[in-house]
Amino acid sequence: MTTDSAGTHAWEKRFRLPHFTLPDCAQQAPNRSLFVSNATGKFELYAWDRDTGEQRQVTDRPTGTMDGFMSPDGRWIWWFEDTDGDEFGVWVRQPFEGGPSTVAVPGLEPACPAGIALSGDCSVVVVGRSARNDGSTIHVAPAGRAPVEIYRHQETARVGGLSHDGNLIALEHTEHADALHPALRIVRLDGSPVAELDDSEGGARGLGLDVWGFAPVPGDTRLLVGHQRRGRWEPLVWDVASTDQLDPDLKLPGDVSAEWYPDGSGLLVEHHFEARSELFRYDLERLSLTRLPTPPGTVSAATARPDGTVEYLWSSAATPPEVRSTGGKAVFDAPGTKAPGSVPVEDAWVEGAGGRVHALVQRPAGAGPFPTVFDIHGGPMLHDRDEFAAGPAAWLDHGYAVVRVNYRGSTGYGRDWSDALKHRIGLIELEDIAAVREWAVSSGLSDPARLILTGGSWGGYLTLLGIGVQPDDWAVGIAAAPIADYVTAYHDETEGLKAIDRALFGGAPQEVPERFAASSPLTYADRVKVPVRITAGVNDPRCPVRQIENYVERLEVSGVTHEAYWFDAGHGSLVVEERIKQMRLDIEFAQRHLG
C-alpha cells in the first residue's frame, strides 16, 4: 500500500483530493456557473465566474450541501436547506456575487422537496412538496405574490418543468398508484389541465414517463420526455400545445437520456450501455444522429454550450474525473492536486436465473485467489459503471479484489431488466449476486473463505439480506444506511418511498405481509453466522434509524459478532473526513475478521 512523504495513504488522498460536479451554467448567462466540490473538506456549492475566473464558496453547512441550481438569468443561486441531512426543509437563495441568504419562497412550511422550476425571466416559481405523511402538493408563486396551491393528491407527484414563458407546468404524477412508472400532466398556472400523457393506459403498466425539460426558447411549447415504449429509455419531443409527437427511434441498445441544445435545434443524447457511456447530437431538423468523440469510460454529466460545443464530466475506473470539452480546450481546474489513479475494470458475463448478469471486476497486484469484496450498488434503479470511485480503489490498495454486480433491477440494460423486481424483492437480486459469486470462486479470482458482502442504501439492504439468506456464502457483512427491518422501515419512511415500496411489493405490509416478511433482513437475522458491521446516519429519512436498531438488537440476542456505528447526518455523509473514517473502520473490521 503506497504512501506519500507525509505518510498519507493513496486511498485516503482519493477521498481528500478534489471531487467536483460538472459546472451548471445559467441559461441566459452561460459564463455564470455553479458546481459542487469537497475543497474545504465537505461537499458545498461554489459559484464560478468564467469571465473573471473567480471561484467563490456559496454554502457552508455542518453536514454539507449538494442540491442546488442557478436561476435562468444567472442572478441567483438556489439550494435546498434541510436539517442535518434529514431532507426536510425549505429552498433558500443567495445573489451570485454573494451576500445574505434568504428564504426563496416565503409562506411555505418546511417539507420534503418534490421538484422545483423557474420561468425564463424568473417571474414564476413552481415548487413541488411532499409532507412526511400527507401526499404531494404543487404550489405556484408569481413574483411578489404569496404561493398558491394548485395540486394535491395522496399519491406522489413532482414538478417536472416549467415552460420558458412561465405559462405551462409539466407534472409527473402517480395517481394510478404506480410510483415506479409516472404519467405526465400539463397544467396552466391556475392548475387547469392542458394535456395528458400516460403510457400506462390500456393495461400497459410498466411504461413510465420522465420529464427532461421544456425547450429553452421563448414561446416554445415543446417538452422533452423520456419514454420506454421500445423497452429502453429514449427521448420523445412532445408539443404540448398541438399534441404532436416526434419519437426518434435511435436504435441504440441500453438506455438513453437527453437534454436540449440552448437554441432548441437539437438534443444532446447520453447513451448508457453495459457500464459505459457515449455522447451524440440529434439534429431535430435533419432527424440525424451524430456521435461526439469521447474516450472509453463513463460520462456522468454533460451540457451543451451556446457555441455548440459540449462540456462533460468523464472518468474511468482507472482515471480520476476530468471536465472535458468537445472543443478540445481546457474547461475547469479544481483547486488542489489530482487524486492517484486506480485499477482498470474487467467485464464478466455470468449466466443467472434471469439471464446474463454483468459484473465489473478489479484485481489487485499479485496472484489469486484473492480476498474479495462484493460491493453492491444502491438504488436499486441505478447501475455500477466504468467510472472512478474512491471506495473500491481503497479495497484494492489493501489487496482485495472488487466485484460489482449489475443485478436485475439495475438500469442501463433495458426495461425488462430494470423492471424485473416484483414481489420477491431482494431475493431476485441475491440470485444474480450468487451466480457471480460462484463464477468468481470457480474462475480462481476469489478465495471462498474470504468473501465480503458490502454496500450502501439498497446495497446495504442486500448485504444484510444476503448474510441471512445465504449464510454460508459470506465471511463478513458490511452495510451502510441499510433497510434492516422492512416493515418498520415502511412505517417510518416518507410517503414517496412508501409509494415505491407498494409498487415493488404489490401492496402495503398489511396487504401482503408474507412478501414483506420474505424480503426483510430481520426475518433471517437468527441465521446470520458472520461478523457484521453497520453504519447509519441518525437523521436518515430513507432508511430510518429505528428499524436498524431493531436489527442490531436481534444480533445482540443471537450473539452474532457485530459493530454498529452511528453518525450525525442523513443518508450518507458529505464530510470528507467522516467518509475516510468510515472507510478505515470498514477495512479494519474486514482485516480483523479475515486475517
Side-chain angles (χ1 to χ4, degrees):
M1 187 166 51
T2 59
T3 60
D4 62 15
S5 58
T8 302
H9 296 300
W11 74 264
E12 295 176 348
K13 295 174 76 171
R14 295 190 192 95
F15 283 90
R16 288 196 182 102
L17 295 179
H19 294 260
F20 45 87
T21 60
L22 181 70
D24 177 33
C25 303
Q27 288 181 4
Q28 299 159 26
N31 284 344
R32 291 189 166 193
S33 300
L34 182 71
F35 65 94
V36 177
S37 173
N38 64 345
T40 61
K42 62 181 185 298
F43 287 89
E44 298 288 1
L45 302 181
Y46 287 78
W48 174 31
D49 188 327
R50 295 185 181 219
D51 291 327
T52 65
E54 179 186 1
Q55 295 179 4
R56 178 182 68 83
Q57 184 176 344
V58 177
T59 56
D60 186 10
R61 304 195 305 134
T63 55
T65 312
M66 288 289 289
D67 195 1
F69 65 94
M70 295 279 298
S71 64
D73 59 9
R75 294 177 55 206
W76 296 93
I77 295 171
W78 292 55
W79 71 90
F80 188 76
E81 189 154 77
D82 63 359
T83 305
D84 297 330
D86 66 356
E87 301 178 25
F88 194 81
V90 297
W91 289 97
V92 298
R93 67 177 189 172
Q94 182 185 113
F96 180 83
E97 298 84 0
S101 302
T102 56
V103 174
V105 188
L108 291 180
E109 296 296 321
C112 298
I116 186 169
L118 276 70
S119 61
D121 61 3
C122 302
S123 64
V124 179
V125 57
V126 182
V127 183
R129 305 168 74 248
S130 174
R132 293 194 189 274
N133 293 294
D134 190 26
S136 302
T137 59
I138 307 295
H139 286 77
V140 171
R145 291 163 55 188
V148 176
E149 181 182 306
I150 64 163
Y151 178 92
R152 176 182 290 269
H153 201 278
Q154 63 183 9
E155 298 291 345
T156 57
R158 63 178 290 107
V159 176
L162 181 63
S163 61
H164 189 279
D165 58 16
N167 291 327
L168 298 172
I169 306 167
L171 306 182
E172 299 174 6
H173 72 83
T174 61
E175 294 174 8
H176 54 284
D178 182 358
L180 297 176
H181 304 102
L184 306 185
R185 180 173 300 151
I186 310 303
V187 300
R188 302 179 183 89
L189 294 187
D190 61 2
S192 59
V194 174
E196 184 93 10
L197 193 61
D198 185 354
D199 278 4
S200 71
E201 291 180 343
R205 287 295 177 94
L207 294 178
L209 298 168
D210 192 15
V211 173
W212 291 350
F214 276 100
V217 180
D220 201 324
T221 55
R222 292 176 300 167
L223 180 68
L224 182 59
V225 174
H227 72 89
Q228 303 179 80
R229 296 170 179 173
R230 285 181 287 269
R232 57 187 181 269
W233 281 109
E234 294 182 282
L236 171 74
V237 179
W238 177 31
D239 189 325
V240 300
S242 68
T243 70
D244 290 341
Q245 297 181 18
L246 172 64
D247 181 7
D249 184 359
L250 301 181
K251 300 187 184 305
L252 296 172
D255 289 321
V256 161
S257 61
E259 67 173 51
W260 294 96
Y261 271 78
D263 61 0
S265 65
L267 305 178
L268 174 59
V269 175
E270 294 183 37
H271 175 222
H272 312 279
F273 182 55
E274 296 183 352
R276 277 87 180 177
S277 54
E278 54 188 348
L279 297 177
F280 295 84
R281 174 187 165 90
Y282 184 76
D283 190 296
L284 290 169
E285 181 178 350
R286 297 182 177 87
L287 305 183
S288 60
L289 188 68
T290 304
R291 189 181 185 280
L292 305 178
T294 58
T298 292
V299 175
S300 55
T303 188
R305 298 283 292 167
D307 63 1
T309 62
V310 173
E311 296 176 356
Y312 59 96
L313 183 61
W314 173 90
S315 73
S316 70
T319 308
E322 302 172 359
V323 177
R324 299 188 174 195
S325 170
T326 56
K329 61 182 179 180
V331 177
F332 175 73
D333 288 320
T337 56
K338 290 189 65 172
S342 189
V343 178
V345 296
E346 307 167 16
D347 295 286
W349 291 94
V350 180
E351 289 300 326
R356 286 205 314 161
V357 184
H358 188 198
L360 301 179
V361 179
Q362 292 172 281
R363 303 170 186 262
F370 302 102
T372 302
V373 175
F374 277 69
D375 189 359
I376 309 304
H377 73 73
M381 289 78 172
L382 297 171
H383 64 282
D384 278 316
R385 304 180 290 186
D386 180 9
E387 65 182 342
F388 196 74
W395 287 111
L396 287 158
D397 283 2
H398 286 81
Y400 296 84
V402 176
V403 177
R404 290 177 286 168
V405 182
N406 283 331
Y407 49 76
R408 276 171 287 172
S410 302
T411 53
Y413 301 86
R415 180 171 57 86
D416 289 343
W417 193 259
S418 60
D419 276 5
L421 300 188
K422 285 184 180 174
H423 303 171
R424 296 180 60 249
I425 305 306
L427 304 174
I428 292 173
E429 301 95 297
L430 289 180
E431 290 176 350
D432 294 343
I433 294 169
V436 177
R437 178 200 176 278
E438 182 178 349
W439 165 85
V441 171
S442 63
S443 68
L445 170 72
S446 302
D447 180 349
R450 295 189 292 169
L451 297 178
I452 299 170
L453 187 60
T454 187
S457 192
W458 197 264
Y461 158 61
L462 293 177
T463 294
L464 296 186
L465 189 65
I467 59 176
V469 173
Q470 304 163 341
D472 298 319
D473 287 357
W474 309 103
V476 171
I478 302 175
I483 299 170
D485 169 3
Y486 220 130
V487 174
T488 302
Y490 176 88
H491 290 303
D492 289 356
E493 67 193 10
T494 63
E495 282 299 307
L497 290 175
K498 288 180 182 178
I500 291 175
D501 284 341
R502 290 194 297 271
L504 288 171
F505 284 96
Q510 63 270 24
E511 297 169 318
V512 287
E514 71 287 349
R515 293 176 185 171
F516 275 82
S519 295
S520 178
L522 188 66
T523 302
Y524 310 95
D526 294 339
R527 299 177 57 186
V528 174
K529 301 177 181 179
V530 302
V532 185
R533 173 173 165 76
I534 299 174
T535 300
V538 296
N539 301 312
D540 192 340
R542 305 187 194 186
C543 298
V545 69
R546 183 168 71 105
Q547 51 98 22
I548 299 174
E549 291 172 339
N550 293 345
Y551 185 86
V552 171
E553 290 175 5
R554 185 68 64 84
L555 294 182
E556 291 173 351
V557 172
S558 301
V560 175
T561 300
H562 66 280
E563 290 182 4
Y565 174 82
W566 315 98
F567 61 96
D568 188 16
H571 196 61
S573 177
L574 299 179
V575 179
V576 173
E577 291 305 315
E578 177 62 33
R579 289 186 173 189
I580 292 174
K581 179 181 179 180
Q582 293 178 20
M583 189 79 244
R584 181 184 296 113
L585 292 172
D586 287 349
I587 292 171
E588 290 175 353
F589 186 81
Q591 291 176 325
R592 191 159 62 248
H593 293 287
L594 293 185

